[in-house]
Amino acid sequence: MRARLGLGTVQFGQDYGVSNRGGRPGEREVAAILARAAVAGVGYIDTAPAYGDAETLVGRYLGHSNNLRIVTKTPALTEDRIEARHRQFILDTLAASRDRLKVDAVHGLLLHQSGDLAKPGWQHVVDAMSEAKSRGWTSRIGASIYNDDQLALVESRFRPEIVQLPLNVLDRRAIVSGTLARLKSSGIEVHTRSAFLQGVLLMEPDELPEFFGPVRQKIVGLRGVWRKRGVSALDGCLAFALQRPEVDAVIVGVNCLYEFEQIERAAASSVGVDGDIDTDQPIDPVYVDPSRWPAFVH
């Protein structure tokens, strides 16, 4: 199971997560987390140029005596129209990422904002990613998406070889829609994120922000079932994602070495949780899609 874990790095470069009250970990803590991830046999590192100095820290402290596969992302394109110059900008940004990460090539390059493919001139984005692969700078190209509509847009523009999407015990949209099964059967590498929903699923229900009131009882019920079985929230959330046969990598973020060690332990457990939540009533996506949360929640 540990080889299917991926270490997310957004916390290394930004204050991130609803449950994170301590802010970014210090550089020494980051070094300890990366060293432990390499020793523990974690399979992936997920990063991006948008994550502050996360790529620099990974390159500085990860070292090269490991089998971790690094996945990074394209830069933000703020203009309404994509032009030929953006193709070179994407390539230059990836070259800079490789320098910061101290690698000749990354395992995957993901489109960070699928909306870029809806802009006029979107072909320049796809051309840049395809050229990065042809140059040997990345083994696979793909996209990070939030929902099936974004995935449909991506697939209308190019065939992704990696798709990163949200999945957790509350957010089962990719399972219900058949997206997970379809991607896997097509030979596409599937990475999931948000196993803990930015820490929301690990918080005590009475500590949740008021925004999550409509799903609080769902979380209370789930945790009650787990508690009777002696399963912690961390164990249950992680097991749900890792036990999906369609998933190649489960990306998790941590704020300190202790959190990583807890996840490492949980990944080695054999808890079964798939039937522990009532899925008869679908959950409004607004509560499981962080991109739609009001600013005060983050």
Side-chain angles (χ1 to χ4, degrees):
M1 288 293 187
R2 292 175 185 174
R4 293 173 59 223
L5 273 180
L7 178 63
T9 62
V10 62
Q11 285 95 334
F12 296 172
Q14 300 176 357
D15 294 338
Y16 182 83
V18 175
S19 64
N20 178 15
R21 299 292 181 258
R24 295 173 52 186
E27 194 163 323
R28 182 176 297 180
E29 193 76 6
V30 170
I33 294 168
L34 289 168
R36 183 62 196 171
V39 170
V42 167
Y44 300 84
I45 294 286
D46 180 81
T47 190
Y51 297 167
D53 58 355
E55 289 184 329
T56 298
L57 293 171
V58 171
R60 183 177 300 160
Y61 295 114
L62 183 59
H64 298 287
S65 57
N66 60 75
N67 295 315
L68 278 83
R69 286 162 281 190
I70 298 176
V71 175
T72 191
K73 304 178 184 72
T74 58
L77 302 177
T78 57
E79 294 86 349
D80 293 331
R81 176 180 293 273
I82 310 297
E83 301 176 352
R85 61 186 173 86
H86 291 107
R87 172 182 166 279
Q88 189 59 49
F89 175 59
I90 292 171
L91 289 169
D92 289 345
T93 301
L94 178 56
S97 291
R98 290 163 53 234
D99 287 343
R100 287 189 291 267
L101 293 164
K102 298 182 180 178
V103 296
D104 294 328
V106 294
H107 174 69
L109 174 66
L110 302 184
L111 177 70
H112 207 166
Q113 300 293 336
S114 63
D116 290 340
L117 297 183
K119 299 176 182 178
W122 59 266
Q123 297 93 335
H124 297 300
V125 175
V126 177
D127 289 347
M129 297 180 70
S130 298
E131 182 167 346
K133 183 180 178 182
S134 67
R135 290 186 184 188
W137 291 2
T138 182
S139 299
R140 302 186 178 207
I141 59 174
S144 172
I145 57 104
Y146 279 97
N147 54 53
D148 281 353
D149 289 341
Q150 292 184 355
L151 179 58
L153 173 61
V154 169
E155 292 184 310
S156 73
R157 304 309 198 196
F158 72 102
R159 184 185 186 279
E161 297 163 315
I162 301 179
V163 169
Q164 185 190 108
L165 48 75
L167 179 74
N168 56 62
V169 291
L170 285 188
D171 187 359
R172 302 188 177 203
R173 290 172 295 171
I175 298 172
V176 174
S177 69
T179 293
L180 272 189
R182 180 180 64 81
L183 290 174
K184 190 62 177 177
S185 66
S186 299
I188 296 172
E189 191 171 307
V190 177
H191 293 199
T192 67
R193 64 178 184 274
S194 204
F196 310 125
L197 197 58
Q198 289 198 17
V200 167
L201 296 173
L202 303 183
M203 297 175 68
E204 291 298 326
D206 59 359
E207 294 177 353
L208 289 171
E210 185 177 348
F211 171 77
F212 295 103
V215 295
R216 181 177 282 111
Q217 284 308 118
K218 184 79 75 171
I219 296 173
V220 168
L222 175 63
R223 292 179 66 137
V225 171
W226 286 348
R227 190 176 298 112
K228 289 178 181 178
R229 296 174 50 208
V231 176
S232 71
L234 175 65
D235 287 345
C237 289
L238 192 59
F240 174 78
L242 283 174
Q243 289 172 11
R244 294 302 309 184
E246 310 95 331
V247 175
D248 296 289
V250 177
I251 309 301
V252 295
V254 300
N255 297 303
C256 63
L257 179 60
Y258 174 76
E259 289 181 358
F260 178 80
E261 290 172 340
Q262 293 295 103
I263 288 173
E264 181 186 354
R265 176 198 56 76
S269 70
S270 56
V271 174
V273 298
D274 190 55
D276 286 350
I277 187 169
D278 174 19
T279 56
D280 290 341
Q281 296 183 343
I283 294 172
D284 189 327
V286 72
Y287 300 112
V288 293
D289 184 346
S291 71
R292 299 173 61 180
W293 292 351
F296 65 82
V297 172
H298 293 277

